[in-house]
Amino acid sequence: MRKDTRPFYMLFFIGMIPLIMAIGNSMFIPLLPQMQYDLMLTTVESGWLLTSFSIPAALFVPIGGFLSDRFGRKKVALLGLMTIAFGCFIAAIANMLVIDVFPFLLIGRVIQGLGAGTVTPLAMTMVSDLYQGEQRTRALGSMEVFNGIGKVISPVIGGVILGVSWTISFVLLLAMSVLAMTGIMIFIQEQAEDITEAEQTCNRKKQLMNEFRLQWRWLVPIFLSGGIGMLLLFGFLFYFSFLVEEVNITHSFVKGLILSLPLLGLTIISYLTGRYLKGNEDSYKRIMIYSICVMIVAVGSLLLGDGLALAIIGLMIYGCGFGSFLPAANAALASIITPYLRGRIFSFYAMFRFLGVAFGPLIFGFWVGDTLQMVYNALFLLCFNGVIMLYSWPCLPIGKPCGQDNFSHI
């Protein structure tokens, strides 16, 4: 079968990888207050139910990229999905058979995170292997659609599950992992890699270090912004879930829908930004600077009060600001990085973002006792991030063009 005529179901089963990654964490946000109550946990302990998934996932993202280069995308994808399924099985069984459930839930979540980190970098690389030309561009765009859909529907799914029992969440994630594993096993064929002469002869570690040395003015602010952006997004969503729980809303589906609003704003703006983004250095810089400014304004607006309505508006604005940053950062990385190092650089970028997702709920678990100080801490991180960005880019395309120099020399 030619690469430009591949059936849709192949794309669907690959797209389940980012879908599972998004649902594997965000689905639990609306469930945390009830899980905390049922298991008699502290706020910090309930935050660990997200963090115990995200930290192993973050650490294993680069390992997954390395293993797929060495042993093949399909084999590593199947291994990672099998690991996620095993972690879900442990958590589901513990809920039925064990009295002290919490330690087993953490073990299951850690195993799920190990599998998630292993498969995270594979969707983009598998699509790049399978498709060429315009089909590849569209397929890569479809991966972002799956990722965005996962972010939006996760809190809604969590709200629906909350109306029944939070224990079903692990069964659902197990079923999705098995479905994706079965589809990839049957329908996805391993592709032979085209190894360039440069890859065969160069010292990869030395070349990677050289790439960081040449491109640090892009890589440092992008990596830092991705990590801080995700930390604050999932930290505020963690805080938001408790605000929603305090409001007299009887239907759990409505609670999940409210929690999905910031992620919906992020997804829509991310899609629109990617569609209309101009492919030049000035455009990437300008959008990232504006994005940080919008995020600062959004968090600052939370100082006006602590009601649910204000939190919804502030977090939606924050989601829109961060949503505009993501496609600009992705496009900038794709433009500046040597083609055969993109997988590794994107793996490190994904690791920083996962670390933000991991530590956000945990850190906000300590901060949530003093909401005013929590907002000030978030503003400090964003302002620090902005200072690093301004320091890294001597020329700022605000009101003037900086010129389209080589991306290696900003």
Side-chain angles (χ1 to χ4, degrees):
M1 182 181 295
R2 289 175 23 174
K3 289 186 178 181
D4 58 351
T5 58
R6 297 186 184 275
F8 170 77
Y9 56 75
M10 294 179 63
L11 197 62
F12 170 78
F13 286 115
I14 298 175
M16 287 197 69
I17 292 176
L19 188 68
I20 290 172
M21 299 308 100
I23 290 178
N25 217 28
S26 301
M27 175 178 61
F28 289 89
I29 292 175
L31 302 178
L32 288 180
Q34 188 62 44
M35 295 175 75
Q36 178 178 330
Y37 176 79
D38 291 346
L39 300 176
M40 293 182 290
L41 307 176
T42 66
T43 304
V44 174
E45 286 174 331
S46 65
W48 272 107
L49 291 171
L50 296 182
T51 302
S52 60
F53 174 91
S54 301
I55 289 180
L59 297 177
F60 263 69
V61 168
I63 295 175
F66 169 79
L67 292 176
S68 70
D69 285 341
R70 180 157 186 169
F71 300 106
R73 323 290 189 203
K74 182 176 179 178
K75 292 178 182 177
V76 177
L78 293 176
L79 176 63
L81 290 168
M82 190 180 303
T83 303
I84 296 173
F86 180 63
C88 292
F89 177 77
I90 289 178
I93 289 295
N95 281 299
M96 293 185 286
L97 302 179
V98 180
I99 297 177
D100 189 10
V101 175
F102 182 63
F104 288 90
L105 290 184
L106 289 183
I107 293 172
R109 291 292 283 165
V110 168
I111 295 174
Q112 293 164 36
L114 295 176
T118 303
V119 300
T120 290
L122 298 186
M124 295 296 185
T125 52
M126 290 175 76
V127 163
S128 299
D129 292 342
L130 289 167
Y131 295 87
Q132 294 179 347
E134 292 184 4
Q135 291 292 321
R136 175 183 290 175
T137 302
R138 293 172 187 167
L140 287 169
S142 298
M143 293 301 101
E144 292 296 338
V145 172
F146 277 101
N147 189 31
I149 291 174
K151 285 184 171 68
V152 173
I153 68 173
S154 294
V156 178
I157 293 175
V160 173
I161 290 175
L162 188 61
V164 185
S165 173
W166 55 263
T167 59
I168 300 177
S169 57
F170 298 108
V171 178
L172 175 63
L173 197 57
L174 171 62
M176 293 181 64
S177 301
V178 171
L179 177 61
M181 184 169 55
T182 303
I184 291 175
M185 183 185 302
I186 296 174
F187 298 112
I188 306 300
Q189 299 300 318
E190 193 71 76
Q191 302 294 304
E193 291 190 55
D194 297 324
I195 307 296
T196 65
E197 184 178 349
E199 280 190 286
Q200 294 174 337
T201 57
C202 75
N203 184 317
R204 293 185 181 183
K205 181 178 179 180
K206 182 178 179 181
Q207 184 129 6
L208 188 63
M209 295 300 295
N210 186 55
E211 195 80 3
F212 272 97
R213 182 181 62 82
L214 289 175
Q215 307 293 0
W216 73 268
R217 290 186 181 275
W218 281 102
L219 297 178
V220 170
I222 288 177
F223 283 18
L224 184 65
S225 299
I228 290 178
M230 284 294 181
L231 184 149
L232 296 182
L233 176 64
F234 277 82
F236 275 119
L237 285 174
F238 176 76
Y239 163 70
F240 193 29
S241 67
F242 286 91
L243 280 183
V244 173
E245 192 68 22
E246 293 173 359
V247 177
N248 187 22
I249 300 176
T250 57
H251 206 298
S252 57
F253 173 79
V254 177
K255 293 181 181 179
L257 193 61
I258 293 174
L259 286 170
S260 72
L261 291 177
L263 299 172
L264 178 62
L266 183 149
T267 302
I268 293 174
I269 297 301
S270 182
Y271 169 77
L272 293 176
T273 302
R275 178 166 182 159
Y276 296 105
L277 183 66
K278 295 181 180 179
N280 61 66
E281 171 186 326
D282 281 0
S283 178
Y284 302 150
K285 284 185 184 180
R286 190 178 299 112
I287 287 179
M288 284 189 274
I289 292 171
Y290 290 162
S291 298
I292 295 296
C293 292
V294 171
M295 292 158 69
I296 291 174
V297 170
V299 174
S301 69
L302 299 179
L303 294 173
L304 300 176
D306 56 0
L308 179 62
L310 183 62
I312 293 174
I313 295 172
L315 289 183
M316 283 197 69
I317 296 173
Y318 180 90
C320 291
F322 193 44
S324 65
F325 169 84
L326 292 175
N330 292 340
L333 288 178
S335 299
I336 66 174
I337 301 301
T338 306
Y340 52 82
L341 290 176
R342 282 177 188 158
R344 293 168 180 81
I345 296 296
F346 270 103
S347 292
F348 284 113
Y349 177 48
M351 181 182 71
F352 272 81
R353 289 172 55 173
F354 252 118
L355 286 173
V357 174
F359 285 103
L362 182 62
I363 292 174
F364 272 67
F366 289 102
W367 290 352
V368 74
D370 187 345
T371 56
L372 187 61
Q373 187 62 48
M374 176 183 70
V375 175
Y376 282 131
N377 292 340
L379 284 173
F380 170 78
L381 289 176
L382 287 173
C383 291
F384 173 75
N385 186 34
V387 169
I388 296 299
M389 186 177 289
L390 296 178
Y391 172 79
S392 300
W393 298 335
C395 180
L396 303 177
I398 307 299
K400 63 177 182 178
C402 287
Q404 302 310 311
D405 298 331
N406 186 293
F407 278 98
S408 298
H409 306 89
I410 300 177

